[in-house]
């Protein structure tokens, strides 16, 4: 009897704010055998968000402590607040053969692509979600109603710069409806799981 085991995949998803990525990731989180990495952030908690589920909300000094002790796989300043991925849990899940989903910005994705750790390199599958256009993005952000008009302007400007980075990602999903985006995302997850190089054969 031949036994196959598989190493964990590190799915890194980036998309400009308002692309619907959070909703997409919430749906993808329901995929069996996929662990969502909860980030740390210094940004204020939004209504409906749960500490430890959506983010670990913390003060600037606690965040900086984690940065200095090397507890972050990556971190970035996004719209004036710190965001970072706790390293320990990600490495543990990957080593145990569990897939991990990271919802991070383009700066964070760049740091992960540049990681010297061969385990991270092998595990990585990065995906960019491309919004239809900036006007549609503005409509979606305004419809969400969680940011002020000043914050929306800042995010639209940032989106423009972020969209220029799509070619650095292994996959690009051209965003249309949430259903379509989810189908494409699941197709990527499946294909990555079937990659021969991710499989190990144990003779028993
Ligand atoms: P929001 O404040 O809307 O939840 O997130 C703002 C941006 O920060 C999004 O683009 C999101 O992907 C990004 N982000 C969330 N967590 C992390 C993280 O741990 N690291 C980095 N680099 N970006 C993150």
């Amino acid at each position: 009897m031949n036994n196959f085991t598989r190493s964990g995949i590190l799915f890194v998803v980036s998309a400009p704010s308002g692309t619907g990525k959070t909703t997409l990731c919430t749906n993808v989180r329901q995929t069996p055998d996929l662990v969502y990495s909860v980030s740390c952030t210094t940004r204020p908690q939004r209504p409906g968000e749960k500490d430890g589920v959506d983010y670990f909300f913390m003060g600037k000094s606690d965040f900086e402590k984690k940065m200095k002790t090397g507890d972050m796989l990556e971190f970035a300043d996004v719209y004036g607040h710190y965001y970072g991925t706790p390293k320990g849990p990600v490495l543990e899940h990957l080593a145990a053969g569990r897939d991990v989903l990271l919802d991070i910005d383009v700066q964070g994705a760049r740091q992960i692509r540049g990681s010297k750790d061969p385990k991270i390199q092998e595990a990585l599958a990065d995906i960019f979600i491309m919004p239809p256009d900036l006007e549609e993005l503005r409509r979606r952000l305004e419809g969400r109603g969680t940011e002020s008009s000043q914050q929306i302007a800042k995010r639209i400007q940032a989106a423009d710069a972020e969209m220029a980075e799509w070619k650095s990602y292994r996959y690009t999903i051209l965003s249309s409806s949430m259903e379509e985006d989810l189908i494409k995302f699941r197709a990527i997850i499946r294909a990555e799981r079937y990659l021969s190089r991710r499989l190990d054969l144990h003779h028993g």
Side-chain angles (χ1 to χ4, degrees):
M1 179 74 181
N2 291 329
N3 270 320
F4 285 96
T5 56
R6 189 171 63 73
S7 54
I9 308 166
L10 183 60
F11 290 105
V12 171
V13 188
S14 301
S17 172
T19 311
K21 178 190 44 171
T22 307
T23 318
L24 187 68
C25 287
T26 306
N27 281 302
V28 174
R29 277 170 89 159
Q30 269 124 50
T31 309
D33 314 320
L34 191 83
V35 189
Y36 180 77
S37 162
V38 180
S39 295
C40 298
T41 186
T42 60
R43 89 139 158 76
Q45 199 166 346
R46 290 183 191 140
E49 283 183 333
K50 287 199 188 79
D51 188 32
V53 177
D54 298 289
Y55 284 106
F56 293 108
F57 295 96
M58 57 181 64
K60 212 171 159 197
S61 62
D62 282 342
F63 193 101
E64 283 169 346
K65 226 178 274 164
K66 283 188 178 294
M67 263 161 55
K68 287 196 189 108
T69 48
D71 286 352
M72 296 290 190
L73 186 60
E74 58 74 35
F75 59 86
D77 182 325
V78 189
Y79 318 123
H81 296 291
Y82 284 135
Y83 293 81
T85 304
K87 192 194 232 165
V90 172
L91 295 180
E92 277 164 35
H93 289 309
L94 293 178
R98 284 187 293 269
D99 300 338
V100 181
L101 176 64
L102 257 58
D103 165 356
I104 61 175
D105 87 317
V106 293
Q107 307 171 67
R110 221 183 291 138
Q111 287 170 44
I112 292 192
R113 274 195 294 272
S115 164
K116 300 270 185 295
D117 185 339
K119 288 209 174 63
I120 296 288
Q121 284 300 333
E122 278 164 29
L124 179 61
D126 50 349
I127 304 155
F128 189 81
I129 311 208
M130 180 69 91
D133 57 61
L134 290 178
E135 270 320 299
E136 172 62 20
L137 201 62
R138 183 190 303 278
R139 273 193 294 276
R140 289 185 190 182
L141 279 172
E142 283 169 355
R144 188 163 86 180
T146 47
E147 285 84 22
S148 67
S149 57
Q150 207 180 6
Q151 282 171 321
I152 290 179
K154 215 174 178 185
R155 286 182 179 225
I156 294 285
Q157 202 179 15
D160 203 18
E162 284 168 13
M163 281 156 76
E165 298 221 17
W166 68 276
K167 265 283 191 193
S168 313
Y169 289 71
R170 184 176 300 168
Y171 299 97
T172 296
I173 292 179
L174 302 177
S175 180
S176 53
S177 67
M178 182 50 60
E179 293 73 26
E180 281 292 318
D181 291 0
L182 195 55
I183 288 169
K184 290 172 191 167
F185 204 131
R186 292 218 165 106
I188 293 170
I189 293 178
R190 274 202 215 109
E192 282 287 335
R193 284 180 172 175
Y194 299 144
L195 280 181
S196 308
R197 71 170 168 87
R198 299 205 188 278
L199 295 175
D200 286 314
L201 176 58
H202 309 271
H203 301 280

